[in-house]
Amino acid sequence: MGRVGVLLLNLGGPEKLEDVRPFLFNLFSDPEIIRLPVTWLQKPLAWFISTSRYKKSQENYKQIGGGSPLRRITEEQARALEAKLEEKGQPAKIYVGMRYWYPFTEDAIAEIKKDKIEHLVILPLYPQFSISTSGSSFRVLEGLWEEDAALGDKVNYSLISSWYDRPGYLQAMADLIAKELDKYENPNDVHLFFSAHGVPVSYVEEAGDPYQREIEACTSLIVQTLNRPNAHTLAYQSRVGPVEWLQPYTEDALQELGEKNINDVLVVPISFVSEHIETLQEIDIEYREVAEEAGIHNFRRVPALDTHPGFINDLAELTIESLNNPSQKFADVVRPSERLKMYPQERWEMGITTSAEVWNGRFAMLGFIALLFELFSGKGILHAIGIL
């Protein structure tokens, strides 16, 4: 088959406190994270958000040791996958490409070219597809392929868009959940609380993002695989800004469970396969406090998969299947139909329509940010005319 490579895609994270601000700038510079009607606003907005938020974010990273463990864990997953593929008789070199921090996706592609890889499996470490995660990385890769004819001529790639329904992945998740459940005095009475990263509702309703559908299906499949009598809830965390995000929100759902006098809660981080800021700080610290205030005093979390043997074995099987049956290409995923709209978006409308309401929310957000900027800097139109 020739030289084989596997590109693992992930978000990336600041490894030191001084990395936080530039990491946030890279994150909010992505039009798939904040969609604006005009592209020239993207970087000024990213600068403002990263400047105003980085100190608070630094405090959060201090609570988990001063930086994100995501790169270290992803590289451990890469080494484990490489060893498992070798064991299965399919040697391959594994590369790590992060979207917003080192090693960047572009750096990984440069290494792939230098190593003269002929067959490449592109494997996002996001079980469920979203425009804002896998889709954003695919868009970057599509641009690199379009800019460099050598990539198209010499690297035959196969793209895996999502894998949330893989039996091996589902069994690995069920194993972790069962292990934690059995630590409770009454395992069958524990409420399973699936917490997924949220996305704006407009991504699903306006842009056709399949993320919510895949998260809901994944939750049901994990519960079926677990085969326990526990009640369960699915909620969404990590929302930012004034626009509406997928609901129920994690904090609201925890409060509702507390009102029902449910004391034993086990959180399952369903959209994360590695420990990082959203598991170690947001769930373990912030949501634990929410749970305590709601009267939930036995609050625990299922650990992320990291290098769970069953999970790594399933990734190896998925890689081999993709090599033997080349599947999707960038165009199939990034622009498969009118249903899925990656950036730049479709023409927007004025008037009382669903898309107009989405844009009204975005413009309101921009106005709110402009007001914050004036309060933050002491300069601007409102100061000039004497209102502030």
Side-chain angles (χ1 to χ4, degrees), residues 249-262:
Y249 301 137
T250 293
E251 58 269 36
D252 295 342
L254 286 172
Q255 289 167 359
E256 288 181 10
L257 292 181
E259 291 170 1
K260 295 177 182 177
N261 297 317
I262 293 174

Side-chain angles (χ1 to χ4, degrees), residues 21 24 46-55 376:
R21 186 173 179 178
L24 291 176
W47 174 87
F48 174 74
I49 295 175
S50 60
T51 299
S52 60
R53 289 186 58 173
Y54 82 94
K55 289 185 178 179
F376 182 77

Side-chain angles (χ1 to χ4, degrees), residues 7 93 102 109 115 119 135 152 184 199 205 214 241 276 322 330 362 383:
L7 175 59
K93 184 168 182 181
Y102 301 97
I109 293 298
D115 292 342
H119 298 272
Y184 287 83
V199 299
E205 295 184 353
E214 294 189 1
H276 65 306
S322 185
F330 294 122
R362 291 171 187 156
H383 280 83

Side-chain angles (χ1 to χ4, degrees), residues 79-186:
R79 290 192 294 270
L81 177 58
E82 192 165 278
K84 181 57 68 173
L85 285 169
E86 184 73 31
E87 179 185 310
K88 291 178 178 292
Q90 179 54 73
K93 184 168 182 181
I94 315 299
Y95 303 85
V96 172
M98 300 295 192
R99 182 65 181 90
Y100 305 115
W101 202 243
Y102 301 97
F104 290 110
T105 306
E106 295 86 342
D107 299 329
I109 293 298
E111 288 292 313
I112 288 166
K113 287 177 59 181
K114 186 177 72 174
D115 292 342
K116 295 181 170 53
I117 295 297
E118 297 170 64
H119 298 272
L120 180 68
V121 175
I122 300 172
L123 174 55
L125 290 175
Y126 311 105
Q128 307 86 13
F129 177 88
S130 175
I131 289 170
S132 59
T133 54
S134 306
S136 178
S137 292
F138 292 164
R139 182 168 50 79
V140 169
L141 288 166
E142 182 185 41
L144 293 173
W145 251 260
E146 290 175 349
E147 293 167 6
D148 190 343
L151 280 171
D153 294 338
K154 298 180 180 179
V155 182
N156 180 31
Y157 72 87
S158 181
L159 191 66
I160 299 168
S161 59
S162 67
W163 39 269
Y164 66 92
D165 55 354
R166 297 275 307 176
Y169 159 70
L170 296 170
Q171 189 60 57
M173 289 293 294
D175 290 347
L176 286 178
I177 295 169
K179 184 177 180 181
E180 294 302 314
L181 281 175
D182 290 340
K183 295 178 182 178
Y184 287 83
E185 184 177 349
N186 298 300

Side-chain angles (χ1 to χ4, degrees), residues 369-384:
I369 290 169
L371 175 59
L372 287 180
F373 180 77
E374 289 217 20
L375 295 173
F376 182 77
S377 65
K379 299 178 182 179
I381 296 174
L382 297 180
H383 280 83

Side-chain angles (χ1 to χ4, degrees), residues 173 176-177 180 183 266-267 269 272 275 301-306:
M173 289 293 294
L176 286 178
I177 295 169
E180 294 302 314
K183 295 178 182 178
L266 179 62
V267 180
F272 315 113
E275 300 289 1
R301 175 175 67 83
V302 174
L305 286 163
D306 287 354

Side-chain angles (χ1 to χ4, degrees), residues 77-355:
Q77 291 168 329
R79 290 192 294 270
L81 177 58
E82 192 165 278
K84 181 57 68 173
L85 285 169
E86 184 73 31
E87 179 185 310
K88 291 178 178 292
Q90 179 54 73
K93 184 168 182 181
I94 315 299
Y95 303 85
V96 172
M98 300 295 192
R99 182 65 181 90
Y100 305 115
W101 202 243
Y102 301 97
F104 290 110
T105 306
E106 295 86 342
D107 299 329
I109 293 298
E111 288 292 313
I112 288 166
K113 287 177 59 181
K114 186 177 72 174
D115 292 342
K116 295 181 170 53
I117 295 297
E118 297 170 64
H119 298 272
L120 180 68
V121 175
I122 300 172
L123 174 55
L125 290 175
Y126 311 105
Q128 307 86 13
F129 177 88
S130 175
I131 289 170
S132 59
T133 54
S134 306
S136 178
S137 292
F138 292 164
R139 182 168 50 79
V140 169
L141 288 166
E142 182 185 41
L144 293 173
W145 251 260
E146 290 175 349
E147 293 167 6
D148 190 343
L151 280 171
D153 294 338
K154 298 180 180 179
V155 182
N156 180 31
Y157 72 87
S158 181
L159 191 66
I160 299 168
S161 59
S162 67
W163 39 269
Y164 66 92
D165 55 354
R166 297 275 307 176
Y169 159 70
L170 296 170
Q171 189 60 57
M173 289 293 294
D175 290 347
L176 286 178
I177 295 169
K179 184 177 180 181
E180 294 302 314
L181 281 175
D182 290 340
K183 295 178 182 178
Y184 287 83
E185 184 177 349
N186 298 300
N188 290 346
D189 296 333
V190 177
H191 194 97
L192 295 177
F193 191 98
F194 291 85
S195 189
H197 193 289
V199 299
V201 171
S202 62
Y203 282 38
V204 175
E205 295 184 353
E206 294 294 315
D209 197 333
Y211 178 72
Q212 182 182 20
R213 182 177 71 250
E214 294 189 1
I215 282 286
E216 291 175 353
C218 184
T219 300
S220 296
L221 289 168
I222 291 173
V223 170
Q224 291 173 26
T225 305
L226 179 64
N227 195 26
R228 297 265 191 125
N230 304 78
H232 71 276
T233 295
L234 170 62
Y236 297 90
Q237 66 182 87
S238 309
R239 78 184 190 276
V240 294
V243 298
E244 182 183 0
W245 286 55
L246 294 179
Q247 295 188 43
Y249 301 137
T250 293
E251 58 269 36
D252 295 342
L254 286 172
Q255 289 167 359
E256 288 181 10
L257 292 181
E259 291 170 1
K260 295 177 182 177
N261 297 317
I262 293 174
N263 190 52
D264 296 336
V265 171
L266 179 62
V267 180
V268 183
I270 186 175
S271 52
F272 315 113
V273 299
S274 309
E275 300 289 1
H276 65 306
I277 189 73
E278 291 175 23
T279 57
L280 298 172
Q281 195 278 330
E282 190 170 5
I283 293 177
D284 289 355
I285 298 176
E286 291 187 22
Y287 291 137
R288 180 180 299 279
E289 292 176 0
V290 172
E292 288 284 343
E293 291 175 2
I296 300 169
H297 301 300
N298 201 356
F299 178 92
R300 302 181 189 177
R301 175 175 67 83
V302 174
L305 286 163
D306 287 354
T307 55
H308 183 287
F311 170 54
I312 296 298
N313 183 72
D314 199 46
L315 290 184
E317 293 288 342
L318 178 58
T319 298
I320 293 169
E321 290 172 18
S322 185
L323 284 169
N324 292 332
N325 300 288
S327 55
Q328 297 170 309
K329 300 300 181 182
F330 294 122
D332 299 329
V333 178
V334 177
R335 294 178 183 83
S337 70
E338 289 300 311
R339 291 181 294 104
L340 182 65
K341 297 178 174 65
M342 298 288 290
Y343 193 87
Q345 292 175 272
E346 74 281 12
R347 178 179 62 85
W348 56 282
E349 301 173 287
M350 296 292 289
I352 304 176
T353 66
T354 304
S355 74

